[in-house]
Amino acid sequence: MWFKIKSFLAFLIKSTNQHGVHSPFIFSLVTQCFYSKTNPQKKELVNRIRHWLYHNNKAIQIQDFGKGSKVFKSNRRKVSAIAKVAGISRKKSLLLIRLIEYFSFNTILEIGTSVGLGTSCMSIGNPKALITTLEGCKNTAHEATLVFKKFNLNNIKCVVGEFNGTLPKVLTHSFDLIYFDGNHQKKETLNYFNQCLPFFHNNSVAIFDDINWSKEMQETWSEIKNFPEVTITIDTYFWGIVFFRKEQVKQHFVIRL
């Protein structure tokens, strides 16, 4: 808890809003996407999905290949609890929808499905996008696919298995967006990023979730920013957003949302 407080205070000191941004590209992103309103129909749909998950009291056995949970003491968990603790927050879910719309992402890869709340936001953001999502735990993946079927999110393909085996198999073409949320360990996150690098194009975006989740993840984010392929990064405290635009000079932004 003390680490989170210190990291957030440090973020507040360094961060700015649109008035401190002098890049036209980032200024437009902040004003037209970050600080805009979400389409009401899309907001209502994601709220219905969240409500359905929050009231799903089915207990499932979890197989966790990542860092593990700081909250759960057992691997037998209710779907509702997983959605509340590990699922994407309301604020992030609406921002994710707006990002998908703003950039018109058509090919999306998510590393870490969980029970499918974040994946659902991607589908809501662009129902025509081709979305591939990877999940290590078969029971969790099963619950996610039930969500996709119930709410007619038909543009999602869920691939089950350890990421070391499934990631190389799905990296067969470039992606507009890759969302990293499947492992909160430095070695593994950097490994996945390295594997994905050849499959980003000039206008691709990478999102790393929970960059301030631990000191280890802060170190991971620092290393990601220094990759030569990375030109622009945005630290929103909960997300690290990466751009590969060769026409941009290398810049790092810290933006309050």
Side-chain angles (χ1 to χ4, degrees):
M1 178 61 72
W2 179 237
F3 172 81
K4 286 289 185 71
I5 293 171
K6 288 195 297 182
S7 65
F8 187 65
L9 288 175
F11 168 81
L12 289 178
I13 292 169
K14 293 185 292 184
S15 63
T16 186
N17 55 22
Q18 73 270 29
H19 301 297
V21 172
H22 303 293
S23 161
F25 172 72
I26 298 300
F27 182 83
S28 296
L29 174 61
V30 171
T31 55
Q32 298 175 28
C33 176
F34 284 8
Y35 294 163
S36 66
K37 293 185 178 180
T38 308
N39 177 292
Q41 287 76 31
K42 294 186 176 185
K43 183 177 180 179
E44 191 273 336
L45 177 54
V46 74
N47 284 341
R48 285 198 290 119
I49 295 172
R50 186 184 303 279
H51 182 270
W52 190 78
L53 281 168
Y54 280 12
H55 289 81
N56 183 347
N57 290 317
K58 177 182 176 181
I60 61 174
Q61 190 70 23
I62 299 297
Q63 188 174 13
D64 196 334
F65 297 99
K67 185 71 172 177
S69 173
K70 293 182 178 180
V71 177
F72 295 111
K73 305 302 180 185
S74 167
N75 282 340
R76 186 160 184 81
R77 306 166 190 172
K78 290 183 178 180
V79 173
S80 57
I82 298 170
K84 291 173 184 177
V85 173
I88 191 170
S89 69
R90 295 179 191 275
K91 182 176 183 177
K92 289 160 66 175
S93 64
L94 299 182
L95 177 57
L96 185 56
I97 290 171
R98 297 198 300 274
L99 277 168
I100 302 291
E101 288 183 314
Y102 182 81
F103 287 110
S104 300
F105 294 133
N106 289 309
T107 52
I108 299 172
L109 173 62
E110 178 186 39
I111 303 175
T113 316
S114 188
V115 290
L117 189 52
T119 327
S120 298
C121 294
M122 297 177 190
S123 177
I124 293 168
N126 183 6
K128 294 182 179 179
L130 300 176
I131 302 172
T132 302
T133 183
L134 309 183
E135 174 54 43
C137 174
K138 65 178 182 180
N139 293 333
T140 309
H142 175 71
E143 296 305 316
T145 57
L146 294 178
V147 173
F148 306 152
K149 289 178 183 177
K150 179 174 178 61
F151 292 94
N152 298 312
L153 306 176
N154 300 315
N155 59 333
I156 302 169
K157 177 184 178 182
C158 187
V159 180
V160 183
E162 290 191 60
F163 301 150
N164 288 335
T166 57
L167 182 58
K169 293 179 181 178
V170 301
L171 291 174
T172 58
H173 57 81
S174 65
F175 288 93
D176 298 334
L177 170 67
I178 300 184
Y179 186 92
F180 295 82
D181 187 27
N183 195 306
H184 291 80
Q185 298 177 95
K186 182 177 179 179
K187 180 181 177 182
E188 285 74 11
T189 301
L190 292 175
N191 177 37
Y192 303 150
F193 186 47
N194 270 304
Q195 289 185 64
C196 292
L197 274 175
F199 300 92
F200 290 114
H201 55 75
N202 192 67
N203 295 315
S204 293
V205 177
I207 298 177
F208 292 86
D209 195 40
D210 290 333
I211 58 170
N212 285 290
W213 189 74
S214 64
K215 189 175 185 298
E216 183 178 9
M217 282 304 293
Q218 287 182 336
E219 293 172 355
T220 305
W221 176 239
S222 293
E223 290 201 21
I224 288 167
K225 291 193 295 182
N226 289 326
F227 271 68
E229 296 87 350
V230 171
T231 54
I232 296 178
T233 68
I234 304 175
D235 177 349
T236 69
Y237 185 72
F238 50 81
W239 278 347
I241 305 176
V242 171
F243 299 89
F244 306 88
R245 295 161 57 89
K246 293 182 176 64
E247 65 272 27
Q248 305 281 160
V249 297
K250 198 173 185 75
Q251 288 180 285
H252 306 299
F253 297 89
V254 183
I255 307 292
R256 288 192 301 273
L257 298 179

